[in-house]
Amino acid sequence: MEQYVKYLRKSRFDRDYADLSIEETLKRHEAILDKLASDRGFYVAKTYYEVVSGESIAARPEVQKLLEEVNAGIYAGVLVVDVERLARGNGADQAYISQVFQFSGTKIITPMKTYDPSNEYDEEYFEFGLFMSRREYKTINRRLIRGRQSSATEGKYLGSIPPYGYRRQKLENEKGYTLEEVPEEAGVVRKIFAMYMEGNGTKIIANYLNDKGVPTRHGDLWTYSTISNILTNPVYMGKIRRGFCQQQKSFENGVVVKKIKHLKNMADYTLFEGLHPALVDEELFMDVQSRRIEKQPGLKVKKDDQLQNAFAGLIFCACCGKRIGRTVTSKKKGAIPRFRCVNSRNCHNATADYNKVEQEIISSLRKWLDGYKVKIETKGFAEDIARCDEMRAEQEERMSALRKQLDNAFDLVEQGVYTLELFKERREKIEQSMDEVRQYLEQLDKTRGELEERDALPKLIPQTEQLLESYYEMSPEERNRLLKAVLCKVEYKREAGGKIEIDLFPRLPKL
């Protein structure tokens, strides 16, 4: 029996359901597709729900899984509310989707039309639909940007998360939001500005608030970066900033990668008068900015924006679990890079020389890989993989038999042998058995994948060793990519006596 799949995605440009939540919109769309499947007698084997906003395939994991299964020829058709749900991305994405459906012979079924990829007219119509959806996407996106720009000029707050010291407030009798002061938080903001103008640095202010037991909005400890973000945010002097976040696109490994860059210089973005109340006056805010530039001239012009910490996003404190950051001693002490827990005020994990810790990590990684290589060379997984294949073949035979039973049930009800009630009862039992087989097959595939991954380790380890041999010839960015490919995280601890303890958490599976 032919199988079909439903694909549901909520777009932020849905005009018909603009006031509905993602869940409500998906429910309405699913009801439309359920009725479509029921009317045409389709057996829907799976449903994909996409709740990630993104124009490209790379940003949508569910559609990636769907296309992989479509490419394998599993389904006779994909049910969508409209073709725009599949792709509004660039031409390369649209061409890829079109080819996947064409080569697999999978139909695209919407309430309005069924697209058969084997029909050249349907193929052209489908490709034209994708082209028009992309054009509509760009038009709506431009309109959205203009709308946000207009809202900023009117002083409305554009963000979804209000900054510390404020809560978001819906404007009466018009679209948009503004900010409303939160008294207990606003007092803390004013204290931060006052302390900074008294000559206290961001670290001293953070320590003061932590010592006083003043919580952040989420109950975490204050950090110098949090204080710095408050001191540099013009929202506190009653302004709305526009163009503060800039999206940068790059093409990496055949995929468009988007990164967000925050501009630090106020001259690089636009300020508008906000509708919300200021927590500090403009003169005080600008005095703070001048003082920051005087104390740290590097904030004015940052010449080197390259990554310096090869372990960024990987190394954490073994005592408190917080991030371990890279810092540099003063010029008087030689400007030596060191590792330090970001929670150093409340954590007793001592600092250590960056280069020494790096050497310890690389040395530990080499030893671990050597030991792992010895372990896997004494084990084989070929027999286990073959057994998985045998069990899968048995389950596929069982699935085939169940499908024949279901087809027979359809024939018998059409011939009048089965009553409708008996048919429904029989169908439910068969479909329940089919679901059990599918779950078993999924588990077998997962187990086989793990075994294949282990079986491929002898090839992976020499490659990793080769990369480690050239580790010190790489840039920090290249080192960081390598380490993240091999490790999930690193835990660091340094005792008062100077002993450094490193605990590695590799990505490779356990034996």
Side-chain angles (χ1 to χ4, degrees), residues 9 57 60 67 80 82-101 108 115 122-138:
R9 181 170 76 92
I57 294 175
R60 293 157 52 198
L67 292 174
V80 289
D82 48 57
V83 293
E84 288 85 350
R85 304 292 147 180
L86 290 171
R88 251 179 171 159
N90 55 35
D93 279 354
Q94 293 181 352
Y96 173 69
I97 289 175
S98 179
Q99 288 177 353
V100 167
F101 280 92
I108 299 164
Y115 300 86
D122 278 358
E123 180 188 352
E124 290 180 4
Y125 199 87
F126 173 61
E127 291 176 352
F128 180 72
L130 291 180
F131 169 76
M132 292 303 295
S133 69
R134 175 64 178 172
R135 184 176 179 183
E136 182 187 17
Y137 169 84
K138 285 183 169 292

Side-chain angles (χ1 to χ4, degrees), residues 396-456:
E396 286 177 346
E397 287 182 8
R398 185 184 173 197
M399 177 65 83
S400 178
L402 288 169
R403 286 172 180 162
K404 289 180 180 178
Q405 291 178 26
L406 190 58
D407 289 339
N408 290 336
F410 275 103
D411 292 338
L412 291 172
V413 75
E414 290 175 0
Q415 296 170 14
V417 177
Y418 277 1
T419 63
L420 188 58
E421 290 75 16
L422 182 59
F423 167 74
K424 288 181 177 179
E425 181 182 348
R426 182 64 178 153
R427 180 181 177 181
E428 287 178 2
K429 289 182 179 179
I430 295 173
E431 289 182 346
Q432 183 179 356
S433 298
M434 292 174 74
D435 287 336
E436 292 174 358
V437 173
R438 288 191 194 93
Q439 292 175 10
Y440 194 69
L441 286 170
E442 288 177 4
Q443 185 59 46
L444 280 174
D445 290 341
K446 182 180 179 181
T447 301
R448 193 185 193 284
E450 292 174 353
L451 291 170
E452 284 182 332
E453 187 177 2
R454 292 182 184 181
D455 205 44

Side-chain angles (χ1 to χ4, degrees), residues 153-173:
T153 59
E154 295 170 5
K156 298 175 182 177
Y157 182 70
L158 304 177
S160 57
I161 301 175
Y164 183 85
Y166 292 103
R167 68 171 62 92
R168 208 164 67 131
Q169 180 67 37
K170 180 75 173 67
L171 292 169
E172 295 183 4
N173 303 322

Side-chain angles (χ1 to χ4, degrees), residues 47 51 72 112 123 129 157 168 188 232 312 403 415 466 496:
T47 302
V51 295
M112 299 297 295
E123 180 188 352
Y157 182 70
R168 208 164 67 131
V188 177
T232 56
R403 286 172 180 162
Q415 296 170 14
Q466 183 180 358

